[in-house]
Amino acid sequence: MSEPEKLDDLKGVDVQTSHRSVLNADDELLAELGYKSEFKREFTLIETVAFAFSIMGVVASVTSTFSFPLVSGGHVGMVWGWLIPCFFVMTVALSMAELASSMPTSAGLYYFSAKLAPPKWAPLASWITGWANVTGQITLVCSIDFTCAQMIASAITVASNGNTVLGAGATYGILLAILFFHGVVCSAATNVLARLNLFYVVVNVGTTIAAIIALLVCSGDNRVSTKDAFTLFENNTGWANSGWAFLLAFTSPMWTLTGYDSAAHISEEVAGAARTAPIAILLGVAGTQVLGWLLFIAASFATASVADLLATDLPLPMGQLFLNVLGKRGMLAIWSLIIVVQFVTGAAQGVDASRVVFAFARDNALPGSRWWKRINARTQTPVNAVWFVMGGSALCGLLGFSTAAFASLAGASVIGLYVSYAAPIFLRITSGRDKLVPGVFSLGKWYLPIGTIAVAWVTFVVVLLCFPPAQAVAAQEMNYAVVIIMGVFAFASLTWVLSARKWFHGPIKTINEPAPSMDVKEALY
């Protein structure tokens, strides 16, 4: 063997040794946090970033929520209704990145709350955060997949020249089919899921850029002026106060910019998690914010008439915008790609939600926990938890038979997730100031002002999302998000008072611990 060949072999050995060293360090840190390593660490940095970015599905999410800024300010709602919340969402992402770097575990947010709360209140803080996150995760899967079903229904309507309009029953049937396929995909082994995300991000970014170019180029002489694109305000909400009406446009970026905690929830499947997870969170959020704003700017220029888009018979006004700008064939071409993006977004969110369910069940906090925390021997992934998510999403999808109830489900998913985001951040800036052991990524002394802004913003947004779209509304136009969220919190509170407070003590150790004996907890959970 020649000298260069020997050197190449030695380099290969060094790389393998270094990789094993990283994996060992990951498992040692996880053991310090109290958990036994049960996953294969096969997500690389680029695949983790792709996962965090893909789960927000920028072009599909903007398409899904285009009606909110369209109603709440028109052109101003599109451009500035997206940009303003981005600055505040980044403070949440920064705070979350610091926590994920310090405690990289699939348990994520409810684990952070348990470790940062005063010892007396740690179990309750963990319980509330966990239930809020599980609720937000499952309802978000349903919201994404139901919107994907609506996109397919829109394509069928356009392709048939309006002769075929699918009703709620047919749309729900499509939802069930999507959930089934997502269940199959999300049950795959970790290395398969990691590679799939590279495909997801290419489709996502490529379709977003194609949509931006198509709207700007093909709108031609019908484009509005730069002044109108950035400053023309139209209040179609029914609220007399235009300032308040504009704030309701924030629903779109808040719904889109969710799920970035996914990098924390797959951290037990990531190599170098303490470094990789925060990078993925921040790059995923920043990339989505930039591309989303550019897409909304393009949409604002291409929107010749807000009233025309609001009067469409299609389920999603963005479909009408593409139809107006690109014609039937062009619309169906770009729409097909957006459907693919929405489908892969739902798949990524399904993986995220299943890891949350698995982790919460691992700490015996869900009914039937012994089933949902099982790891499939062949794939080494929580397959049972995947189907728990898909089943829960199918039940939530029944709300699709009521337009108002389903619209409220989207708000409920945002509220549930952001409450779970804010809880550990609030504890970090209060009782947990001296408890956090900094990870690779740390905010240093800036954690306090950044965390304070993040908590204040979430509080404001939660209140905002509970308001109806108009001052005077009928039952079919009400915002039932607060009903959905309070129903879950009532259930969580009742079970805490009657049972869970006696046996749930927060995250449990699964390493070097004897198996718990059968008790009332096992009987109920």
Side-chain angles (χ1 to χ4, degrees):
M1 182 181 293
S2 66
E3 199 65 29
E5 289 175 330
K6 291 180 181 179
L7 289 174
D8 288 341
D9 286 345
L10 288 174
K11 288 179 182 178
V13 171
D14 289 343
V15 170
Q16 292 174 4
T17 302
S18 176
H19 183 64
R20 283 197 297 271
S21 177
V22 170
L23 296 183
N24 290 337
D26 283 325
D27 291 343
E28 288 174 7
L29 177 55
L30 185 62
E32 289 178 11
L33 298 176
Y35 293 120
K36 177 179 66 177
S37 179
E38 298 182 77
F39 295 95
K40 289 184 177 180
R41 294 185 179 274
E42 296 184 306
F43 271 87
T44 63
L45 172 61
I46 189 171
E47 289 163 348
T48 309
V49 172
F51 182 70
F53 181 82
S54 297
I55 210 166
M56 287 177 273
V58 56
V59 65
S61 296
V62 167
T63 297
S64 304
T65 58
F66 185 58
S67 60
F68 291 105
L70 201 63
V71 170
S72 303
H75 297 275
V76 168
M78 294 180 221
V79 177
W80 304 110
W82 175 273
L83 182 63
I84 292 172
C86 286
F87 296 103
F88 297 100
V89 170
M90 185 53 75
T91 64
V92 180
L94 284 165
S95 298
M96 188 185 298
E98 181 184 49
L99 297 176
S101 182
S102 172
M103 297 172 277
T105 166
S106 295
L109 302 163
Y110 75 85
Y111 185 94
F112 305 158
S113 290
K115 298 305 177 183
L116 296 173
K120 179 181 178 180
W121 300 104
L124 179 59
S126 181
W127 180 261
I128 292 174
T129 305
W131 274 103
N133 195 230
V134 168
T135 300
Q137 292 282 349
I138 293 177
T139 52
L140 187 58
V141 170
C142 178
S143 297
I144 292 170
D145 285 0
F146 196 94
T147 306
C148 187
Q150 288 181 314
M151 290 177 178
I152 293 172
S154 295
I156 292 172
T157 299
V158 173
S160 65
N161 294 317
N163 294 322
T164 303
V165 179
L166 299 184
T171 304
Y172 182 71
I174 297 174
L175 168 67
L176 294 180
I178 293 171
L179 289 172
F180 173 77
F181 283 114
H182 280 166
V184 173
V185 171
C186 296
S187 298
T190 298
N191 63 336
V192 175
L193 296 174
R195 306 302 176 270
L196 280 174
N197 277 283
L198 295 178
F199 165 73
Y200 293 172
V201 77
V202 170
V203 173
N204 196 342
V205 175
T207 303
T208 304
I209 294 173
I212 293 170
I213 294 173
L215 289 173
L216 288 176
V217 173
C218 298
S219 53
D221 295 336
N222 291 323
R223 279 198 305 269
V224 300
S225 67
T226 301
K227 179 180 179 181
D228 283 352
F230 284 89
T231 64
L232 183 59
F233 181 85
E234 297 180 51
N235 179 4
N236 291 287
T237 63
W239 286 95
N241 188 300
S242 293
W244 178 257
F246 167 71
L247 294 179
L248 296 175
F250 292 176
T251 303
S252 178
M254 294 310 299
W255 192 81
T256 303
L257 297 168
T258 51
Y260 47 87
D261 55 318
S262 58
H265 296 309
I266 65 165
S267 58
E268 293 180 32
E269 300 167 75
V270 171
R275 170 178 173 270
T276 299
I279 291 175
I281 290 171
L282 297 177
L283 288 183
V285 170
T288 300
Q289 289 179 340
V290 171
L291 284 176
W293 196 46
L294 293 176
L295 181 56
F296 264 120
I297 290 173
S300 182
F301 273 107
T303 300
S305 171
V306 170
D308 179 50
L309 298 185
L310 291 175
T312 181
D313 292 327
L314 297 178
L316 299 170
M318 184 66 95
Q320 186 64 51
L321 178 61
F322 281 119
L323 186 60
N324 292 350
V325 173
L326 305 178
K328 178 180 174 180
R329 289 186 178 181
M331 179 270 184
L332 289 175
I334 195 73
W335 202 250
S336 298
L337 293 173
I338 292 174
I339 289 173
V340 173
V341 173
Q342 187 75 344
F343 183 86
V344 300
T345 298
Q349 178 58 36
V351 172
D352 184 16
S354 69
R355 282 10 178 210
V356 174
V357 168
F358 159 78
F360 211 35
R362 182 173 57 182
D363 289 314
N364 297 321
L366 289 175
S369 284
R370 59 183 176 272
W371 296 101
W372 316 126
K373 65 183 176 183
R374 289 186 178 179
I375 297 292
N376 184 275
R378 187 171 64 85
T379 65
Q380 288 191 265
T381 54
V383 173
N384 290 357
V386 168
W387 290 104
F388 177 93
V389 170
M390 299 308 155
S393 298
L395 290 175
C396 291
L398 292 171
L399 294 174
F401 287 93
S402 165
T403 302
F406 186 76
S408 301
L409 186 67
S413 67
V414 176
I415 292 172
L417 286 174
Y418 270 92
V419 167
S420 69
Y421 294 174
I425 297 173
F426 173 75
L427 294 170
R428 165 73 172 117
I429 63 175
T430 53
S431 60
R433 291 188 183 187
D434 301 319
K435 293 183 178 182
L436 189 78
V437 178
V440 177
F441 175 80
S442 174
L443 295 177
K445 65 181 180 180
W446 293 100
Y447 83 90
L448 186 57
I450 290 174
T452 302
I453 294 171
V455 172
W457 171 253
V458 172
T459 303
F460 165 72
V461 165
V462 167
V463 174
L464 178 71
L465 293 176
C466 290
F467 276 81
Q471 283 179 289
V473 294
Q476 64 269 24
E477 298 169 333
M478 272 297 296
N479 183 349
Y480 294 98
V482 67
V483 177
I484 297 171
I485 289 296
M486 291 309 299
V488 174
F489 274 99
F491 169 78
S493 300
L494 189 63
T495 54
W496 175 262
V497 172
L498 297 179
S499 175
R501 64 186 176 87
K502 302 174 184 177
W503 50 261
F504 182 76
H505 305 294
I508 62 174
K509 288 183 177 293
T510 63
I511 190 167
N512 297 328
E513 288 286 323
S517 59
M518 178 67 73
D519 55 14
V520 66
K521 176 188 66 179
E522 284 292 323
L524 292 174
Y525 282 75

